[in-house]
Amino acid sequence: MISLLPLESVPGLSLNELGDQLRDLLGDETIIRLADEGSTVVAEIAGVSVKVTLCEEPIPAEILEGPLSAAWYWEEAASVLKNHEAHLFVVISDPRLPEPSTESEPNSEAAPEISPSKGVIEIYPEAPAAPVLDEETIRYSVQDALLLTRVSLMLGDCCSALAVYWDGSTAIHSWTAFEESCAAMTPTNLPLRIWIDFRLWEAKDGTRGLVTRGMSALGQRELEVIGSTSSAQQIRAWSYTVAHYCLEKNKVLEHGQAVGISPKEWIRTWIVSSRLEPGSWAIWLDLEAEE
């Protein structure tokens, strides 16, 4: 799990001083050491390691290009980061988590015959043979994301960071927005707007869609809404609600499961072959299920 913190210039603090700050944040039992010939400080606590590397150069343009073009919520992003001279590379490594792997669909011979439903999504009549998700992996991933958020906040405050790039969502946020999300963060109020990119669009036929980026980095399947007649506000609200429920409660949604906030307000979720990421599985939110 990775975050990048762009800095206006190389900070005055040494890595040894950053190590002391990490120990103050994580506790006296934290083991601090230098690595990579003194360019990285490593903090180890309860088997989980935090690695912070000071890079005396800007974040590579190829990493920032996509996030900057998609940052409609921060119009000044490109101008703020244009002349940054350094960055911090922050990594959380957790031996409790499996090595990253790409979910793949069953081969064409094993896949059941399916027919389109609702016109835009192919829904399997029975639960498809998608890989089983592990609730413990989700729990540890959320714990690591909370840790990375806390560490990034501390480092950014010490080094006057301009922004934060969250690798799991491939999104970049102003430092002010990041601080605001952190200020409201609790175990029951996760900073999903930092961890997950909720990408909404409107199709030529007037319907709307949304896809998340960042759920898979937290052990879940990405969410998709395609061809919905619901309003943009409804789509965003339901997507956020479902994502937060799954991550806060470590819940794995089942094929055809109903999710709601009341007996009269609910949607249905389906495990589907992703329309936007071929070769992977997603959770389709059927916002029109009760109509």
Side-chain angles (χ1 to χ4, degrees):
M1 197 168 291
I2 298 170
S3 72
L4 304 180
L5 307 180
L7 310 175
E8 186 173 2
S9 59
V10 176
L13 286 176
S14 68
L15 286 178
N16 283 321
E17 290 174 306
L18 287 181
D20 292 339
Q21 296 284 351
L22 285 169
R23 181 180 285 111
D24 290 342
L25 176 69
L26 303 177
D28 292 337
E29 296 182 358
T30 306
I31 299 173
I32 303 293
R33 59 183 174 86
L34 295 181
D36 301 331
E37 299 181 349
S39 64
T40 299
V41 60
V42 181
E44 298 176 341
I45 180 73
V48 177
S49 66
V50 180
K51 299 179 182 179
V52 183
T53 302
L54 173 60
C55 305
E56 297 184 7
E57 59 187 12
I59 298 173
E62 58 268 25
I63 293 179
L64 287 181
E65 182 179 4
L68 287 177
S69 64
W72 57 269
Y73 45 83
W74 183 23
E75 295 180 356
E76 303 82 8
S79 60
V80 170
L81 301 181
K82 181 179 180 180
N83 296 317
H84 78 281
E85 298 179 352
H87 68 281
L88 294 176
F89 189 98
V90 189
V91 182
I92 302 292
S93 298
D94 190 337
R96 300 172 298 181
L97 297 179
E99 290 296 320
S101 61
T102 302
E103 285 189 340
S104 58
E105 298 183 39
N107 61 53
S108 57
E109 294 181 355
E113 291 294 326
I114 55 179
S115 58
S117 175
K118 295 282 186 181
V120 292
I121 294 287
E122 295 175 331
I123 300 178
Y124 291 87
E126 304 295 335
V132 177
L133 301 185
D134 179 51
E135 292 183 358
E136 286 292 281
T137 295
I138 298 168
R139 182 163 68 89
Y140 294 142
S141 296
V142 170
Q143 290 176 0
D144 289 349
L146 288 167
L147 175 60
L148 180 57
T149 304
R150 293 171 58 213
V151 169
S152 298
L153 178 64
M154 182 276 292
L155 293 171
D157 283 343
C158 290
C159 301
S160 301
L162 301 172
V164 60
Y165 168 80
W166 196 266
D167 186 63
S169 63
T170 65
I172 194 157
H173 300 273
S174 71
W175 191 250
T176 298
F178 182 63
E179 286 182 313
E180 290 173 353
S181 291
C182 291
M185 181 176 69
T186 69
T188 58
N189 185 27
L190 305 176
L192 296 197
R193 289 183 173 84
I194 302 298
W195 298 355
I196 301 170
D197 190 7
F198 295 87
R199 302 187 180 184
L200 179 76
W201 71 87
E202 184 168 325
K204 292 181 180 179
D205 62 1
T207 62
R208 296 179 179 87
L210 180 144
V211 62
T212 62
R213 187 177 296 276
M215 291 288 284
S216 58
L218 298 167
Q220 293 277 6
R221 296 187 178 94
E222 300 294 349
L223 307 181
E224 291 184 4
V225 178
I226 298 178
S228 176
T229 57
S230 298
S231 69
Q233 183 179 2
Q234 289 174 316
I235 293 173
R236 285 196 182 99
W238 273 115
S239 299
Y240 189 95
T241 297
V242 172
H244 200 285
Y245 166 75
C246 291
L247 295 173
E248 180 197 348
K249 304 297 184 183
N250 309 318
K251 293 296 184 181
V252 176
L253 296 176
E254 298 179 2
H255 188 66
Q257 179 176 342
V259 179
I261 57 176
S262 75
K264 293 184 178 181
E265 294 181 275
W266 58 276
I267 62 173
R268 198 169 293 282
T269 62
W270 306 93
I271 300 174
V272 299
S273 173
S274 174
R275 294 292 298 271
L276 304 174
E277 294 288 343
S280 65
W281 297 95
I283 293 292
W284 177 44
L285 306 184
D286 184 1
L287 275 64
E288 285 71 44
E290 59 179 318
E291 294 182 356

